């Protein structure tokens, strides 16, 4: 897999995807940054409440930080942070970095990243993040091109392992969970948030995220008569909620879960209408209405 963030599309579909992504990433940047910071602060409070670990002066691993490095930069304000990603993450003016990205991740990933840089979308988001956090300039962070299912770090390397919206793109998530257990120090904490495939937006069609979904029915990727309308922009392992719970519980004894639901009233109304005509009966409400699942675990000391 060259890049888990690039799917196979026709040229017209790819152009439409890029237009949707531009619309999504260019609008309401101050509001999106504020929401991101609020979410990360909520996670900090949750970790401290449930595990009694304060996320300060720790050695942290971020799995799949993405091109903007938003979460890494936030945690780096008070901690030492390392990132790993299948994608090459160039920082600053780095021609060799883009050459490496083209070679390892393919032309689609490179084109998307270069396009965002030329349009200054990443710079605008980063500048706004710095403004809201009170930081004038972010320092360069160590990000290694590494597979989460086969990490090269020694045992017991990190106090906290974090990942957001990545595990649904990993082909062997069970192996990645085992690696997290291995690299966590005794008493260390893991927080893994993932986007459920069975949620309405689980197909990762950019039109849903950008608010341009009018031609796409709800849960189209789960309904055979509508699947041909879906344009996923990433590799997805399509794992069910029950299987995710099993994967974590079998490897992280005592793991706790958080279920995140968004636009619940709208989705419940749409789901009720579909069930009335006999559609989606093979799925539970929990599977269809939960968008994100978070696993929280502290390794026994």
């Amino acid at each position: 897999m060259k890049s888990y963030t690039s799917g196979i599309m026709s040229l017209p579909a790819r152009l439409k995807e890029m237009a949707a992504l531009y619309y999504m990433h260019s609008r309401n940047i101050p509001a999106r940054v504020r929401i991101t910071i609020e979410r990360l602060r909520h996670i900090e409070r949750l970790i401290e409440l449930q595990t009694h670990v304060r996320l300060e002066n720790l050695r942290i691993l971020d799995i799949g930080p993405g091109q903007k490095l938003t979460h890494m930069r936030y945690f780096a304000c008070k901690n030492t942070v390392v990132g790993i990603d299948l994608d090459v993450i160039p920082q600053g003016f780095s021609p060799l970095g883009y050459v490496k990205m083209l070679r390892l991740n393919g032309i689609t990933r490179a084109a998307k990243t270069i396009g965002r840089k030329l349009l200054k979308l990443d710079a605008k988001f980063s500048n706004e993040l710095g403004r809201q956090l009170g930081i004038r300039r972010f320092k360069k962070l160590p990000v290694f091109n590494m597979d989460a299912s086969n990490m090269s770090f020694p045992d017991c390397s990190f106090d906290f392992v974090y990942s957001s919206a990545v595990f649904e793109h990993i082909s062997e998530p069970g192996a990645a969970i085992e690696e997290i257990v291995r690299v966590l120090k005794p008493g260390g904490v893991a927080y893994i948030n993932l986007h459920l495939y069975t949620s309405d937006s689980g197909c990762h069609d950019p039109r849903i995220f950008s608010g341009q979904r009018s031609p796409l029915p709800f849960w189209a990727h789960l309904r055979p008569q509508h699947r041909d309308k879906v344009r996923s922009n990433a590799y997805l392992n399509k794992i069910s909620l029950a299987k995710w719970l099993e994967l974590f519980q079998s490897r992280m004894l005592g793991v706790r879960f958080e279920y995140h639901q968004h636009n619940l009233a709208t989705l419940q109304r749409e789901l009720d209408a579909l069930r009335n005509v006999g559609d989606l009966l093979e799925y539970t409400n929990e599977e269809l209405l939960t968008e994100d699942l978070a696993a929280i675990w502290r390794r026994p000391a």
Side-chain angles (χ1 to χ4, degrees):
M1 188 191 310
K2 288 185 176 180
S3 169
Y4 53 70
T5 57
S6 295
I8 298 174
M9 289 185 183
S10 65
L11 180 58
R14 183 65 70 187
L15 292 174
K16 289 179 181 178
E17 177 215 15
M18 290 182 175
L21 289 172
Y22 174 78
Y23 178 76
M24 178 175 67
H25 288 294
S26 63
R27 64 174 182 165
N28 300 328
I29 290 177
R32 289 195 296 113
V33 169
R34 184 177 65 255
I35 291 169
T36 298
I37 292 173
E38 289 172 354
R39 176 173 174 266
L40 288 167
R41 286 174 176 163
H42 165 75
I43 290 171
E44 286 183 311
R45 292 191 295 270
L46 181 68
I47 294 299
E48 186 169 6
L49 178 66
Q50 293 200 6
T51 69
H52 308 293
V53 172
R54 191 174 182 86
L55 298 184
E56 292 183 10
N57 302 314
L58 303 181
R59 181 167 169 79
I60 292 177
L61 172 64
D62 188 340
I63 297 175
Q67 296 292 332
K68 292 198 291 285
L69 302 178
T70 304
H71 297 185
M72 278 191 74
R73 285 170 171 166
Y74 176 86
F75 288 125
C77 295
K78 299 178 182 179
N79 303 275
T80 300
V81 186
V82 173
I84 65 168
D85 206 298
L86 284 180
D87 286 349
V88 177
I89 313 288
Q91 297 181 63
F93 181 70
S94 177
L96 290 179
Y98 291 105
V99 171
K100 185 178 179 182
M101 176 187 288
L102 182 63
R103 180 170 57 85
L104 293 180
N105 302 140
I107 190 170
T108 300
R109 176 72 274 171
K112 284 183 179 180
T113 303
I114 292 171
R116 279 207 326 275
K117 301 294 185 185
L118 291 175
L119 293 169
K120 298 189 180 299
L121 295 178
D122 288 1
K124 290 176 182 177
F125 194 95
S126 177
N127 291 339
E128 181 61 24
L129 179 68
R131 186 189 72 79
Q132 293 193 27
L133 290 177
I135 297 174
R136 293 186 61 185
R137 185 180 182 86
F138 290 110
K139 62 183 179 180
K140 188 175 180 179
L141 296 169
V143 184
F144 301 101
N145 193 226
M146 192 184 298
D147 186 347
S149 303
N150 186 26
M151 292 189 251
S152 59
F153 301 116
D155 295 356
C156 307
S157 293
F158 299 98
D159 303 290
F160 181 58
V161 177
Y162 173 85
S163 183
S164 177
V166 171
F167 266 59
E168 67 267 27
H169 304 297
I170 296 177
S171 58
E172 297 184 52
I177 295 170
E178 290 171 3
E179 280 291 88
I180 289 172
V181 173
R182 182 182 67 79
V183 301
L184 264 180
K185 295 178 181 178
V189 175
Y191 180 92
I192 310 301
N193 181 85
L194 59 95
H195 198 92
L196 279 179
Y197 180 72
T198 49
S199 69
D200 172 57
S201 55
C203 61
H204 280 65
D205 189 313
R207 293 172 294 177
I208 298 177
F209 299 118
S210 62
Q212 300 175 326
R213 69 166 305 151
S214 56
L216 193 64
F218 284 82
W219 294 282
H221 60 301
L222 303 180
R223 301 162 65 191
Q225 68 272 36
H226 296 298
R227 282 176 187 158
D228 61 337
K229 300 181 178 74
V230 177
R231 297 197 297 261
S232 300
N233 74 336
Y235 164 79
L236 298 166
N237 54 36
K238 302 182 181 180
I239 292 176
S240 68
L241 173 59
K243 182 62 176 177
W244 279 120
L245 300 181
E246 178 190 336
L247 283 170
F248 283 107
Q249 289 169 338
S250 64
R251 294 163 173 83
M252 295 177 165
L253 186 62
V255 64
R256 299 180 183 183
F257 297 104
E258 261 204 341
Y259 298 80
H260 301 149
Q261 298 173 325
H262 309 283
N263 302 318
L264 185 57
T266 298
L267 291 175
Q268 185 67 69
R269 184 172 61 250
E270 295 291 337
L271 180 56
D272 289 344
L274 290 172
R275 290 209 192 281
N276 285 337
V277 296
D279 212 346
L280 294 175
L281 298 180
E282 65 270 40
Y283 299 98
T284 66
N285 279 22
E286 191 174 49
E287 288 177 292
L288 298 172
L289 298 176
T290 300
E291 186 169 351
D292 299 309
L293 175 73
I296 307 157
W297 182 69
R298 185 175 186 185
R299 180 175 174 178

